[in-house]
Amino acid sequence: MTNPAPAAITALADKVPSKPPRSKWTDVWHQFSKHKGALMGAAFLIFITLAVLFGSWIWTLDPQKLDIRNKDLRPIYTALWDGAAKVAWAHPLGTDNLGRDGLANLIAGGRASMAVGWAAMLLSLFIGTAVGVISGYFRRLDGPLMRLTDLFLSLPILPLLLVAVTLFRQPLRASFGPEGGMFVLIVAVIGITSWMPTARIVRGDVLALKEREFILAARSIGTTPFKIIQRHLLPNVLSPIMVSATLGLATAIITESALSFLGVGFPSDFPTWGKMLADAVPRMNDFPERVLLPGIMISLTVLGVNYLGDGLRDALDPRIRGR
Amino acid sequence: MKMKTLLLGAVASFALAPAAMAERGEDGNVNIIYWQAPSIMNAYLSGGTKDIEAASIVIEPLGRYDPTGALVPYLAEEIPTVENGGVSEDLTSITWKIKPGLKWSDGTDFTAEDVKFTGEYCMDPAGGCAQFAKFDGVTSIDVIDPLTVKVTFATPKPNPYGPFMGNQSPILQKAQFENCTGAAASTCTDENFAPIGTGPFVVTDFRPNDVISLEANEYYRDPAKPAFATVNFKGGGDANAAGRAVLETGEFDYAWNLQLAPDVIAQMAEGGKGVPVAAFGTLVERIEMNMTDPSPSLPEGERSTVAHPHPILSDFNVRKALSMAIDRELLVEVGYGQAGRATCNLVPAPELYASETNTDCIVQDIDGAKALLDEAGWTDTDGDGIRDKDGMKLSLLFQSSTNAVRQDFQALIKDWWSQIGVETELRNVDSSVFFGGDAGSPDTFQKFYADVEMYANNFDGTDPQSYLSQYRCGNEPKPSSQWQGENINRFCNEEYDALLDELAQTGELDKRGVIAKKLNDIITKDTMTIVPLVDRGRVSAHSNTLGGVQLNTWDSELWNIADWYRID
């Protein structure tokens, strides 16, 4: 006959953690994965990025190759409801009026549009964050930098781009080639004219954070301003930065499309989604897919990016996270 | 007999009824859309058809050409000829008699002084007059009396209808433009935007590259015309939108020069709001070769000037090979359908002047082009697929205006050229800029900061002399002429200039035909300076409710806008 151990003692024993504590990023992912739209947006964005990067290795047709005998082919799916449609498995998404392959163009066009989007977004993010943090942290620079921001906010981007194209196309073309030069120009102008919202948001957050106790503590032990910014401020303003980054990507893609649509920008035989859309407009009635396909790609990419931004904002905000 | 009289009377009353009832301005507003927006209302300061045509509503020449190419007096009483004594027996002078009682739109009298002034305005060497070729060989313009003006030429002029005839040579008012001569010409913004004219309409508001508002000219010579009280002249957009606005939605009454693929126009016409109209004239879509070096490494002011010959295109074999590689029939099929035909001629009409034996270029010959380049020493020595010679790559910058058909052409031509080992970079410039003639812009077709460029041009009237004399040595756009001038290629050929002089002294029509054909052949097949592609019929469209439109390929399309009326 044995006496069972008294239950009270078990109850008093310290609980041992059953698993190691969750890191911040696990929490972020946990919150992010609850947002279905954000997940789908991220998945689509990754898919489209991989597709435009590596698609040309799988679908090896040259997007600029003219094949006049196979012009005006419809996409393969039109055969489902229209038996008489001119389709060919060699061109699953059809060809344009000069016989250029639709799928190859979509891939090549996406590469240009996405490259412009990502590059312009990174540039504007860098400028915006730098200006925002500096003007928020250093009181003396706040006034001049914010007036500069106001100045840039009042610049209309499309006319500015048109002027920049006229002025700088020639020198840039000489140093980077016709496509490279235009890429640098468009990225630079979009980047330079779209950093202001980021700068304002970041500045606001920095102004508030600067007065908090942990910054005071850091300063009292002699941390240099640069280290304070690096260790304490930047991680705390990460969430608004991420969000404006996703929105910036969408804006950049749309601006590039608008430029190509207007006929300035890249050379006429260099496909981008915007240019494909513009070229297809006159034959919209007969060949709706030529407008729809690039249009849908632009819309889905921008939508995906927006949802991703939405999810990231929720996931990165500690007050929302865990609720 | 009685019956016949009755019937005749009935017919006459029907015919006269609209005229009798017609009253100025009774049909309200007419909407015109030109997808290339006019940037100036002075035909002497712009080479662009859009500007010249817009100006033709307001300022008029002494005589115009009708749709058959015949001469019609406008401000003149009659067209001077040798028979009626208006042209002197030795062909060195022409005397115009002006209609009495003509008034400018500000109410002042129109006199021979204005005509004389206009000639001096254009012939001022500092002014950079875009229509200088029209006044080729004029020594003096004399006022005989207020209604008579005499133009004297240095040499016998068998075709004396250059000055003051056709939409490119309208009369400006002396009182208005007196202080705008010479170098000041392009700075007179108010005058150039709203010239005082004798035409059926006057400008009330001019927004460059956008909208022109016009109203009926109360001093117009025919009290019953124009039938429209106002004109809303919208510029800009593209040919596609313009076509739709007239044919499908009916927002506009008249759309100019619908340079669209044939299937696209046919589809728009199914909209049923309007009809496309077509006519063949002298409009030739061509590739122009730059004979001078457009390299950006040259200092500004020397680029694309005769100081530096083109490093690649100076070689005749290269130009010839570029032409041989082009399949013109396919271009016609892709771009124009019924409204175009392949041509090798700069002057495709009228028959008398068209060089019908010049047809070798029609058949594409890729292999021949390759052989020709091999022979000329252009070979691919570094194996990158692009031919080179003496360290220079056969690489060209090919520019044109923004237009769906032109971009299709560019893509096709680039493809053919790449097949013969020529690398091509494409560029397209907005039409308003490309044809705008702005000396400050690097993108105009006159500045030609590219190796080859493609556009279409034509001549008004039926005589190609002034058209061919555009390519006289020295008439090229250059900094000293504010980049105005018609010798776009910077072409310079002694034989050509000598033949031009001969043409200017020949009166017999058959002989003129022979010389004109020779000139045409020199600049096309003999030197390949100009590579004609397609003889384009002009397609415009008007709404079903707009009457009186007579498409004219020999003059401005708006030549008879005073006769337009509304069909209810």
Side-chain angles (χ1 to χ4, degrees):
Chain A
M1 192 166 173
T2 50
N3 287 329
I9 295 175
T10 324
L12 285 174
D14 284 335
K15 272 186 190 156
V16 180
S18 55
K19 47 184 177 181
R22 295 171 11 141
S23 78
K24 178 189 168 195
W25 291 110
T26 321
D27 272 356
V28 168
W29 167 248
H30 187 69
Q31 173 69 28
F32 183 76
S33 60
K34 279 188 189 158
H35 194 308
K36 285 222 175 57
L39 271 185
M40 278 159 68
F44 182 77
L45 198 66
I46 291 169
F47 165 73
I48 209 79
T49 309
L50 291 179
V52 300
L53 279 182
F54 304 110
S56 60
W57 294 348
I58 299 166
W59 189 250
T60 48
L61 271 183
D62 179 358
Q64 298 189 11
K65 167 100 181 110
L66 304 183
D67 181 5
I68 207 79
R69 256 177 248 110
N70 285 321
K71 67 173 182 174
D72 289 337
L73 290 184
R74 305 299 305 272
I76 203 80
Y77 57 78
T78 40
L80 286 177
W81 62 83
D82 180 6
K86 227 171 78 172
V87 296
W89 281 106
H91 302 285
L93 290 186
T95 55
D96 70 3
N97 61 321
L98 296 178
R100 288 176 288 213
D101 182 63
L103 181 55
N105 264 292
L106 213 54
I107 293 170
R111 189 178 301 172
S113 292
M114 296 291 278
V116 167
W118 280 104
M121 180 264 275
L122 289 176
L123 181 66
S124 89
L125 207 63
F126 177 75
I127 304 178
T129 311
V131 170
V133 167
I134 292 173
S135 71
Y137 192 82
F138 301 103
R139 187 177 299 257
R140 193 170 292 179
L141 292 174
D142 190 17
L145 279 178
M146 278 300 112
R147 296 299 77 73
L148 183 76
T149 311
D150 292 342
L151 178 89
F152 271 91
L153 269 175
S154 61
L155 289 178
I157 179 164
L158 275 181
L160 187 74
L161 256 174
L162 296 180
V163 173
V165 167
T166 316
L167 287 181
F168 301 118
R169 185 181 54 208
Q170 205 48 257
L172 285 171
R173 175 174 163 259
S175 32
F176 298 101
E179 283 109 26
M182 196 45 81
F183 179 80
V184 170
L185 187 64
I186 292 180
V187 163
V189 176
I190 296 179
I192 286 170
T193 51
S194 61
W195 54 267
M196 296 78 71
T198 317
R200 285 188 155 184
I201 295 168
V202 169
R203 169 181 171 270
D205 275 15
V206 168
L207 277 181
L209 282 170
K210 198 167 69 159
E211 308 300 330
R212 300 271 287 274
E213 289 79 2
F214 66 96
I215 302 288
L216 190 65
R219 198 180 294 165
S220 69
I221 58 169
T223 316
T224 58
F226 179 73
K227 287 284 176 195
I228 293 183
I229 289 171
Q230 195 192 6
R231 281 191 202 145
H232 302 290
L233 289 180
L234 278 184
N236 276 297
V237 294
L238 198 62
S239 106
I241 291 179
M242 290 285 241
V243 176
S244 58
T246 55
L247 296 178
L249 176 60
T251 323
I253 291 178
I254 290 180
T255 310
E256 190 279 321
S257 304
L259 272 185
S260 301
F261 191 85
L262 290 175
V264 290
F266 291 106
S268 63
D269 57 336
F270 183 76
T272 72
W273 284 341
K275 187 175 304 296
M276 292 170 71
L277 196 60
D279 289 351
V281 167
R283 297 183 179 78
M284 198 153 54
N285 293 355
D286 289 339
F287 303 97
E289 67 274 5
R290 289 187 205 158
V291 182
L292 285 175
L293 288 174
I296 289 173
M297 295 314 268
I298 296 175
S299 312
L300 282 184
T301 309
V302 171
L303 203 65
V305 167
N306 275 329
Y307 267 115
L308 178 68
D310 205 32
L312 275 181
R313 190 194 57 212
D314 290 359
L316 288 172
D317 189 333
R319 274 155 299 197
I320 295 179
R321 194 163 61 224
R323 264 201 289 155
Chain B
M1 179 70 195
K2 209 173 181 188
M3 191 62 189
K4 197 177 171 188
T5 320
L6 259 178
L7 277 175
L8 269 176
V11 167
S13 62
F14 267 113
L16 287 174
M21 289 191 303
E23 198 178 314
R24 176 175 295 158
E26 64 175 357
D27 283 349
N29 181 49
V30 60
N31 289 308
I32 300 174
I33 182 160
Y34 269 49
W35 54 270
Q36 285 176 18
S39 45
I40 196 166
M41 289 291 272
N42 185 343
Y44 293 108
L45 296 182
S46 171
T49 314
K50 44 148 187 146
D51 298 319
I52 295 173
E53 301 222 344
S56 75
I57 312 177
V58 175
I59 44 180
E60 295 178 304
L62 297 177
R64 285 198 194 280
Y65 301 90
D66 73 3
T68 65
L71 294 79
V72 188
Y74 258 62
L75 299 178
E77 283 250 75
E78 58 178 356
I79 297 293
T81 59
V82 179
E83 289 79 51
N84 65 23
V87 176
S88 67
E89 288 290 338
D90 61 355
L91 304 175
T92 56
S93 74
I94 179 167
T95 309
W96 292 90
K97 288 239 186 274
I98 297 160
K99 274 183 192 160
L102 282 180
K103 287 201 187 299
W104 290 101
S105 57
D106 63 354
T108 56
D109 287 330
F110 179 97
T111 70
E113 286 292 339
D114 295 307
V115 180
K116 177 178 158 70
F117 168 77
T118 302
E120 284 163 356
Y121 176 88
C122 187
M123 290 190 290
D124 192 322
C129 176
Q131 314 302 346
F132 194 74
K134 288 261 165 199
F135 293 85
D136 198 24
V138 173
T139 51
S140 70
I141 301 171
D142 302 301
V143 175
I144 312 275
D145 65 56
L147 292 180
T148 314
V149 66
K150 181 177 169 191
V151 181
T152 314
F153 300 97
T155 49
K157 273 267 178 188
N159 177 47
Y161 307 113
F164 315 124
M165 181 79 202
N167 59 354
Q168 293 169 355
S169 190
I171 313 295
L172 301 173
Q173 191 194 38
K174 182 181 182 186
Q176 189 188 22
F177 280 88
E178 217 156 12
N179 298 321
C180 300
T181 54
S186 55
T187 60
C188 283
T189 317
D190 292 343
E191 288 82 356
N192 291 333
F193 283 179
I196 293 170
T198 53
F201 294 96
V202 281
V203 178
T204 51
D205 185 26
F206 183 90
R207 297 189 193 158
N209 297 327
D210 189 9
V211 181
I212 312 171
S213 305
L214 305 106
E215 62 180 16
N217 173 7
E218 57 174 314
Y219 294 101
Y220 188 59
R221 52 189 174 276
D222 186 337
K225 289 175 182 172
F228 290 103
T230 53
V231 177
N232 176 28
F233 192 110
K234 171 83 183 129
D238 53 54
N240 183 45
R244 263 181 217 289
V246 171
L247 296 172
E248 278 187 12
T249 65
E251 287 166 273
F252 281 86
D253 296 304
Y254 189 83
W256 160 85
N257 195 10
L258 298 180
Q259 197 186 347
L260 293 168
D263 54 320
V264 176
I265 293 186
Q267 226 212 326
M268 284 180 186
E270 284 170 21
K273 298 271 186 188
V275 280
V277 280
F280 273 98
T282 54
L283 190 64
V284 172
E285 186 85 24
R286 82 287 288 280
I287 290 180
E288 303 258 2
M289 304 271 176
N290 194 345
M291 308 301 281
T292 60
D293 192 354
S295 163
S297 58
L298 292 171
E300 198 58 37
E302 287 185 32
R303 277 180 83 180
S304 284
T305 62
V306 285
H308 304 275
H310 197 286
I312 303 169
L313 292 176
S314 298
D315 184 344
F316 168 69
N317 293 313
V318 174
R319 304 198 298 265
K320 170 120 182 149
L322 291 176
S323 169
M324 285 162 79
I326 298 172
D327 184 348
R328 290 166 174 77
E329 301 281 11
L330 185 63
L331 289 180
V332 171
E333 187 193 315
V334 167
Y336 298 101
Q338 295 298 310
R341 41 192 182 201
T343 186
C344 306
N345 283 325
L346 178 65
V347 179
E351 222 169 289
L352 174 66
Y353 298 107
S355 173
E356 70 278 1
T357 55
N358 180 18
T359 53
D360 295 343
C361 79
I362 304 259
V363 181
Q364 185 189 28
D365 185 3
I366 297 267
D367 294 328
K370 282 183 188 161
L372 190 66
L373 287 175
D374 285 339
E375 215 172 284
W378 291 94
T379 46
D380 184 9
T381 53
D382 50 6
D384 61 354
I386 303 158
R387 288 173 193 267
D388 51 79
K389 181 183 178 182
D390 306 333
M392 268 178 317
K393 275 184 183 302
L394 210 41
S395 172
L396 302 171
L397 173 60
F398 180 12
Q399 72 177 10
S400 190
S401 70
T402 303
N403 173 297
V405 175
R406 290 214 168 109
Q407 264 74 78
D408 285 353
F409 275 27
Q410 281 188 306
L412 282 166
I413 291 168
K414 175 178 178 167
D415 187 52
W416 289 321
W417 286 354
S418 75
Q419 288 178 34
I420 61 168
V422 177
E423 181 188 46
T424 318
E425 179 198 328
L426 302 185
R427 177 202 286 173
N428 51 313
V429 182
D430 186 73
S431 315
S432 306
V433 176
F434 192 61
F435 298 113
D438 176 8
S441 165
D443 292 328
T444 61
F445 78 105
Q446 287 109 330
K447 267 205 181 162
F448 208 166
Y449 283 179
D451 301 303
V452 288
E453 65 184 4
M454 179 172 64
Y455 62 92
N457 201 357
N458 60 341
F459 58 96
D460 67 341
T462 51
D463 190 281
Q465 184 183 335
S466 54
Y467 187 54
L468 287 166
S469 64
Q470 291 183 345
Y471 298 95
R472 188 184 281 280
C473 197
N475 191 28
E476 66 274 355
K478 48 189 176 290
S480 58
S481 66
Q482 340 286 342
W483 290 103
Q484 299 288 340
E486 299 95 355
N487 187 354
I488 302 299
N489 316 75
R490 288 81 164 134
F491 175 71
C492 206
N493 182 318
E494 279 177 25
E495 188 195 352
Y496 188 86
D497 288 359
L499 271 173
L500 273 181
D501 293 338
E502 198 187 327
L503 180 66
Q505 289 163 5
T506 311
E508 248 176 278
L509 274 180
D510 291 339
K511 269 193 196 162
R512 289 179 67 73
V514 172
I515 299 171
K517 284 177 193 172
K518 234 186 254 172
L519 286 166
N520 171 72
D521 289 354
I522 288 178
I523 203 155
T524 58
K525 76 172 176 190
D526 294 351
T527 65
M528 288 293 171
T529 314
I530 293 176
V531 177
L533 302 174
V534 180
D535 175 13
R536 279 172 49 194
R538 181 173 291 200
V539 180
S540 295
H542 64 84
S543 78
N544 293 333
T545 62
L546 183 66
V549 174
Q550 279 185 288
L551 188 58
N552 190 341
T553 58
W554 305 106
D555 203 293
S556 164
E557 284 191 22
L558 306 173
W559 71 292
N560 70 337
I561 191 170
D563 302 332
W564 289 9
Y565 57 91
R566 181 71 66 195
I567 305 168
D568 296 320

